[in-house]
Amino acid sequence: MSWQGKKVLVAGLGKSGRAAAAELARLGARVTACDQKLLEGEEIEALSRAGVELILGRYPEVALLQPQLVVTSPGVPSWEPPLAGARQLGIPIWSELELAYRLLPPGVKIAAVTGTNGKTTTTALCGQILRDAGLPVAVGGNIGIPLVKEIRDIVPGGYVVCEVSSFQLEAVASFRPRVAVILNITPDHLDRHGNLASYIAAKARLISFQETGDFAVLNYDDPLTRDLADKTKARVLFFSRRQQPEPGAFLKDDVIYANLGDGEIRLCHRAELSLKGDHNLENCLAASLVALALGVKPQQLVSTLKTFPGVPHRLERVAEVDGVLYINDSKGTNPEATMKAIEAYPNPLVLIAGGRNKGSDFTLLAQKMAGRVKYLVLVGEAAPDLEQAARRAGIEHIYRASDFKDAVLEAARQASPGDIVMLSPACASWDMFKNYEERGDLFKSIVRELAENSDGGGNHHAPQGGAR
């Protein structure tokens, strides 16, 4: 389609919104971009220089602008005025993901990954498998690089692996991946979606536009995900840690096998995987199916499974200081993610948790903590709710930190050699940080400072304090 002169409103100027506005302006569209915040900085100024009309600190009246299309950032809820107004007027609303899909060159094969937990690791792993196999691949989406920003680097007939969030899926209109992955579904973002049914419906949109020649990779062990099999025309491939679905990928005698319908393929022993933990086993099973469905040879796939180092902010090893291992799991932004992080290590844990609650119930998480966490450090808006759940579960050693640095220093004081200090917040970062990356980077910075100040005998030279 021709974008020359087309009137487009971009709602929200986060990463996705800025990238969409810039690309649309480059294509010749008449772009108006808005955000509730009074934003500034080089990227905003660059949009203005590119001819984008900026409306900052407020939302415009859509009825007055009369755009032909609204492109929305994932951070803008559907009830906000630009989107509500567009719906009333019958104006199409696309997510940045849908826009990127419409702009892709011909013949591109897309693998798209969603799920409550594991999206980033699985997306990065799929991308690395394709890269190691010598295929031209771009990795983007919710993983941190808006897909529309990569359009000009994607070659015809190439590959795209994208992480997809429920927020992005709310406003897709035709997005059709060659291979779609739904890793799992547990309650999350209920403050945005309202209820679990709406959240599931958003996730299911990933497979709703697929056709018979496509593949839908679903978690057989998760009933909410397994039950989505009838929502797609695609060929369903299940993965499972507990069963042996065919076609699918599974574990048998601690060996990973895949079967796409033409016989079992032995991949590797579970112990050979570079990523540890049951949740990462599931991620590896899913990624194996993606790679095989896209034509990657089994031996190429296995090579990457054995060497992939993981992603930043997800069970990321930061340092060992005086016999204490520090793990950055800042991407653990919901209770289920933190529960999986707790399960990944046998060591005694000093856990740092808290932030902004996204509508989650912390009861099951607290019960999981009770058998594993020797000391709990809480910070941020959700600290009172987390403490209440923890005390109900019988956890007594709890510290309410005054700020994030206080939380890390207190965790260090309470840890003994052989322990793990883990940041796995079970909450969003938005009460104190711009994003989980900023939170994780600060954690790493404080830990490295501890390492520099350590005398090697367990003394961190940090201010002292006690539980309260």
Side-chain angles (χ1 to χ4, degrees):
M1 66 181 292
S2 172
W3 291 93
Q4 194 66 40
K6 193 176 183 73
K7 291 179 67 176
V8 183
L9 173 64
V10 175
L13 283 170
K15 286 182 185 178
S16 295
R18 295 195 303 270
E23 184 63 17
L24 287 165
R26 189 186 73 82
L27 293 170
R30 294 162 57 194
V31 183
T32 301
C34 63
D35 198 288
Q36 276 188 312
K37 298 176 182 175
L38 285 167
L39 302 172
E40 54 186 27
E42 171 55 32
E43 288 189 82
I44 298 298
E45 292 171 10
L47 289 177
S48 183
R49 291 195 298 271
V52 175
E53 180 186 350
L54 297 171
I55 300 175
L56 303 175
R58 64 182 179 88
Y59 284 137
E61 287 287 339
V62 177
L64 296 177
L65 283 178
Q66 288 292 317
Q68 296 164 273
L69 172 69
V70 174
V71 175
T72 178
S73 291
V76 180
S78 60
W79 59 79
E80 290 290 346
L83 307 187
R87 280 196 304 275
Q88 287 177 348
L89 296 169
I91 299 168
I93 301 170
W94 293 356
S95 64
E96 173 266 329
L97 179 70
E98 178 72 21
L99 173 66
Y101 176 69
R102 304 284 185 117
L103 297 176
L104 285 174
V108 171
K109 290 172 278 295
I110 302 170
V113 181
T114 196
T116 306
N117 296 300
K119 297 186 295 295
T120 299
T121 298
T122 305
T123 299
L125 175 56
C126 289
Q128 193 62 49
I129 291 169
L130 296 175
R131 199 175 290 118
D132 290 348
L135 300 172
V137 59
V139 179
N142 194 61
I143 198 169
I145 306 168
L147 192 56
V148 76
K149 202 168 185 176
E150 301 211 40
I151 290 297
R152 280 173 274 172
D153 296 326
I154 299 171
V155 299
Y159 296 79
V160 168
V161 182
C162 56
E163 177 184 331
V164 182
S165 72
S166 59
F167 295 172
Q168 291 173 306
L169 289 167
E170 284 181 316
V172 294
S174 64
F175 179 67
R176 177 189 165 189
R178 167 75 169 158
V179 186
V181 182
I182 304 180
L183 293 166
N184 45 61
I185 297 175
T186 56
D188 196 19
H189 299 299
L190 301 189
D191 54 341
R192 166 83 169 252
H193 292 290
N195 54 57
L196 182 59
S198 295
Y199 178 57
I200 294 171
K203 291 294 191 188
R205 290 181 65 78
L206 181 66
I207 59 177
S208 63
F209 299 104
Q210 289 187 292
E211 298 293 341
T212 52
D214 302 323
F215 295 89
V217 176
L218 305 177
N219 187 343
Y220 190 86
D221 299 335
D222 176 27
L224 294 179
T225 305
R226 183 176 66 234
D227 289 348
L228 296 178
D230 62 357
K231 302 292 185 185
T232 184
K233 297 177 184 175
R235 184 182 180 198
V236 175
L237 303 175
F238 285 116
F239 64 93
S240 173
R241 288 191 291 117
R242 303 183 181 98
Q243 305 295 325
Q244 295 179 20
E246 292 185 14
F250 50 87
L251 199 65
K252 182 167 66 174
D253 298 327
D254 272 344
V255 175
I256 296 172
Y257 291 87
N259 187 341
L260 269 61
D262 49 4
E264 286 185 4
I265 303 169
R266 185 191 189 280
L267 295 178
C268 64
H269 197 280
R270 175 181 182 168
E272 297 178 276
L273 298 175
S274 62
L275 298 175
K276 304 306 178 186
D278 286 344
H279 62 295
N280 276 324
L281 171 60
E282 293 180 351
N283 297 338
C284 290
L285 290 169
S288 297
L289 289 174
V290 171
L292 293 171
L294 291 175
V296 176
K297 290 182 170 55
Q299 61 268 31
Q300 293 172 320
L301 152 66
V302 169
S303 175
T304 308
L305 291 179
K306 292 179 178 180
T307 58
F308 181 69
V311 297
H313 309 293
R314 192 70 181 108
L315 294 180
E316 178 186 13
R317 183 187 175 109
V318 179
E320 186 171 321
V321 184
D322 300 320
V324 176
L325 179 61
Y326 289 79
I327 298 292
N328 168 30
D329 193 54
S330 184
K331 202 175 189 312
T333 61
N334 57 62
E336 184 72 18
T338 298
M339 288 167 67
K340 290 181 176 181
I342 289 171
E343 291 170 347
Y345 299 92
N347 312 56
L349 292 176
V350 177
L351 180 67
I352 303 169
R356 176 164 293 170
N357 189 359
K358 297 181 288 181
S360 300
D361 184 332
F362 298 119
T363 303
L364 291 178
L365 171 60
Q367 291 168 359
K368 178 68 69 174
M369 287 180 191
R372 293 285 299 109
V373 175
K374 64 178 265 187
Y375 196 86
L376 179 61
V377 180
L378 300 176
V379 67
E381 290 178 3
D385 294 337
L386 277 160
E387 181 173 5
Q388 186 178 53
R391 293 203 183 280
R392 282 200 307 265
I395 298 172
E396 297 178 358
H397 301 296
I398 301 172
Y399 178 86
R400 291 271 288 275
S402 57
D403 57 33
F404 191 78
K405 185 168 187 178
D406 178 38
V408 181
L409 295 180
E410 174 64 13
R413 283 189 287 267
Q414 297 298 329
S416 304
D419 291 352
I420 288 177
V421 170
M422 179 187 289
L423 168 67
S424 189
C427 296
S429 59
W430 308 317
D431 58 337
M432 300 171 72
F433 302 95
K434 288 188 296 186
N435 48 49
Y436 72 82
E437 294 99 333
E438 185 179 72
R439 176 171 61 188
D441 287 341
L442 179 56
F443 176 74
K444 291 191 285 186
S445 174
I446 298 169
V447 170
R448 286 168 186 147
E449 186 179 336
L450 284 171
E452 290 171 5
N453 293 335
S454 171
D455 60 10
N459 299 311
H460 305 294
H461 305 302
Q464 295 301 304
R468 61 171 181 256

